[in-house]
Amino acid sequence: MISKILPMKYPIITSWQWQANLFSILSNYPETQSWIYSNYIQLHMIRDESHDKTFVDFYQYPILEICPWIYNQHLKRETILLFKKDICEFFIECIDLNNYIYGVFEQSNFGRSEFFPHDTFIYGYNKEKKVFYIADFSFKEKYSYTEVSFSQIEKAYLSIEEKDDWLLDKGGLQLLSFNAKGIFDFKPSLVIEFLEEFLQSKNSFEKSSFYINKPNKSVFGLEVYRKIKEDLINKNTDFRHIHVIYDHKVLMLHRIEYMQTHGYLNQAEVIYKLYKQLEQKTLSARNLLLKAIITQNDKQMDQIIRLLGEIERIEIEAMNLMLYNLKQCKS
């Protein structure tokens, strides 16, 4: 085979590489919506005290391991060497078997000026052009697609030492493929559970403690908004925090449409209107924060903090209304 490109659709959420990669696959298959919209409701923030930084994401189990629509093979680098010495040949054969490739690569080999280990997603190749097709945040400062030569990929892979290979806290490579045998029915009861945990700022990791161990420094749901405001007051600015909040609203809008279409939700139009307000306010907050970071204008921080307060207030109203109507339909 001279070339092969696996199915990719631009993801509806692009907060983090691992989320964008997963949604790039799942978005090609409408049957996966039942699983997506049963999940991706709770938010969490982890504080890394050693670097005095915070990290915001959707609450997740070991998401790639348990997604019913993904067949996941996590391989050690030593294991890969047993299969094939030529890493490009190994990647090509994996893609021929419909596997996407996810791993940490040293991206100064892709044209960056400094040493930069970063997770990268490979979804195709062309032998004639001697390129792999990859998805990453590094090239256009947003999730985007590009071509990288065979020689660049080989150098980028081989340049990573064990101490730099942090992929999902394990290192190595993940081979991901779509599992057409996947089955998952939409679960209104799970949506209700996550909504209640969000409003109560409840630790959702407790339900997955058999899978993962997360530090007690995590906060959840509404408490995430309050911690982001604290960070802004203390001049700790990371626009990705609010970008995750924005992606949360985008997904909630899609979820409301899905639940309305399938008869799970009354008063969907009213709830959708509230979440449309939330999406617009969150987008404004994110853009204001980007502008404030560039211009170093502290006055805009006060405006962002006020916006986050409005977002929290409207979300409480919208989620309580959604909960009431989901329970009415369920009964």
Side-chain angles (χ1 to χ4, degrees):
M1 195 175 295
I2 294 174
S3 69
K4 182 165 183 172
I5 299 177
L6 298 174
M8 288 283 281
K9 190 172 182 180
Y10 198 81
I12 57 174
I13 62 169
T14 57
S15 307
W16 299 103
Q17 180 90 11
W18 48 90
Q19 305 286 19
N21 295 342
L22 179 59
F23 273 72
S24 288
I25 300 172
L26 298 185
S27 298
N28 295 283
Y29 308 98
E31 61 267 37
T32 66
Q33 292 177 354
S34 57
W35 179 79
I36 292 170
Y37 299 136
S38 294
N39 291 280
Y40 288 93
I41 295 169
Q42 178 66 298
L43 293 172
H44 74 100
M45 172 190 275
I46 296 174
R47 182 168 294 281
D48 180 356
E49 292 187 334
S50 62
H51 296 92
D52 193 28
K53 288 185 177 180
T54 50
F55 171 87
V56 177
D57 197 1
F58 288 89
Y59 156 73
Q60 57 193 56
Y61 308 89
I63 203 74
L64 293 171
E65 282 81 354
I66 67 154
C67 176
W69 306 102
I70 293 294
Y71 195 91
N72 179 9
Q73 303 171 74
H74 201 133
L75 302 178
K76 292 181 178 180
R77 287 180 172 242
E78 310 91 272
T79 306
I80 293 166
L81 284 174
L82 294 175
F83 296 149
K84 193 73 69 173
K85 300 298 181 186
D86 185 328
I87 194 63
C88 290
E89 196 175 323
F90 175 74
F91 289 168
I92 287 168
E93 291 178 357
C94 287
I95 293 167
D96 283 341
L97 292 172
N98 298 316
N99 292 297
Y100 302 80
I101 299 156
Y102 184 39
V104 174
F105 292 75
E106 206 287 276
Q107 293 195 358
S108 67
N109 295 281
F110 300 163
R112 296 185 72 98
S113 58
E114 74 284 353
F115 179 78
F116 189 66
H118 195 264
D119 46 338
T120 301
F121 194 57
I122 304 174
Y123 62 91
Y125 68 85
N126 186 308
K127 286 184 180 177
E128 196 168 65
K129 296 171 68 176
K130 294 186 177 179
V131 298
F132 286 105
Y133 299 103
I134 70 173
D136 206 305
F137 280 91
S138 299
F139 302 99
K140 297 180 181 177
E141 302 303 324
K142 65 177 183 178
Y143 192 73
S144 57
Y145 310 128
T146 193
E147 300 175 3
V148 174
S149 72
F150 286 179
S151 61
Q152 286 175 304
I153 282 286
E154 181 179 26
K155 288 176 186 174
Y157 176 79
L158 296 176
S159 297
I160 292 293
E161 298 179 13
E162 186 176 349
K163 63 182 175 61
D164 303 313
D165 192 357
W166 44 262
L167 186 76
L168 303 176
D169 299 323
K170 295 179 181 179
L173 286 176
Q174 285 198 326
L175 304 181
L176 307 173
S177 56
F178 181 71
N179 175 26
K181 297 178 181 178
I183 298 173
F184 192 93
D185 295 327
F186 181 74
K187 292 183 168 47
S189 58
L190 187 58
V191 175
I192 289 169
E193 184 179 342
F194 277 132
L195 290 171
E196 289 176 339
E197 289 178 358
F198 188 101
L199 289 168
Q200 296 163 13
S201 300
K202 185 177 177 182
N203 185 344
S204 295
F205 281 124
E206 290 173 356
K207 67 163 62 72
S208 56
S209 58
F210 287 109
Y211 294 103
I212 47 178
N213 181 34
K214 287 291 181 182
N216 293 327
K217 297 294 182 182
S218 294
V219 296
F220 294 83
L222 290 175
E223 189 64 23
V224 171
Y225 295 157
R226 294 156 196 166
K227 290 294 183 182
I228 291 175
K229 286 188 284 186
E230 283 180 20
D231 278 355
L232 292 173
I233 291 168
N234 294 323
K235 313 300 182 192
N236 296 325
T237 56
D238 187 337
F239 81 92
R240 292 173 299 182
H241 292 176
I242 300 183
H243 187 74
V244 174
I245 306 298
Y246 171 71
D247 274 351
H248 181 262
K249 307 313 163 223
V250 170
L251 263 182
M252 288 299 282
L253 287 169
H254 283 274
R255 188 185 341 269
I256 292 162
E257 289 180 320
Y258 177 89
M259 293 192 295
Q260 181 184 30
T261 300
H262 292 84
Y264 295 112
L265 186 65
N266 296 329
Q267 288 192 278
E269 294 88 353
V270 178
I271 301 166
Y272 187 93
K273 188 175 179 181
L274 287 169
Y275 265 98
K276 196 65 184 174
Q277 284 183 50
L278 286 166
E279 180 200 38
Q280 292 165 351
K281 286 180 181 292
T282 310
L283 182 60
S284 295
R286 188 201 68 182
N287 292 343
L288 275 171
L289 182 55
L290 280 169
K291 186 177 178 181
I293 292 168
I294 293 167
T295 62
Q296 297 185 329
N297 186 342
D298 288 345
K299 290 182 180 178
Q300 286 178 322
M301 292 299 179
D302 294 335
Q303 189 176 351
I304 296 163
I305 291 166
R306 284 197 299 273
L307 266 173
L308 286 170
E310 291 175 26
I311 290 164
E312 182 181 348
R313 177 183 57 78
I314 296 170
E315 184 122 58
I316 291 170
E317 178 188 354
M319 278 197 174
N320 277 313
L321 186 59
M322 189 183 298
L323 270 170
Y324 173 80
N325 281 281
L326 275 168
K327 289 176 179 178
Q328 289 292 107
C329 281
K330 194 169 179 287
S331 61

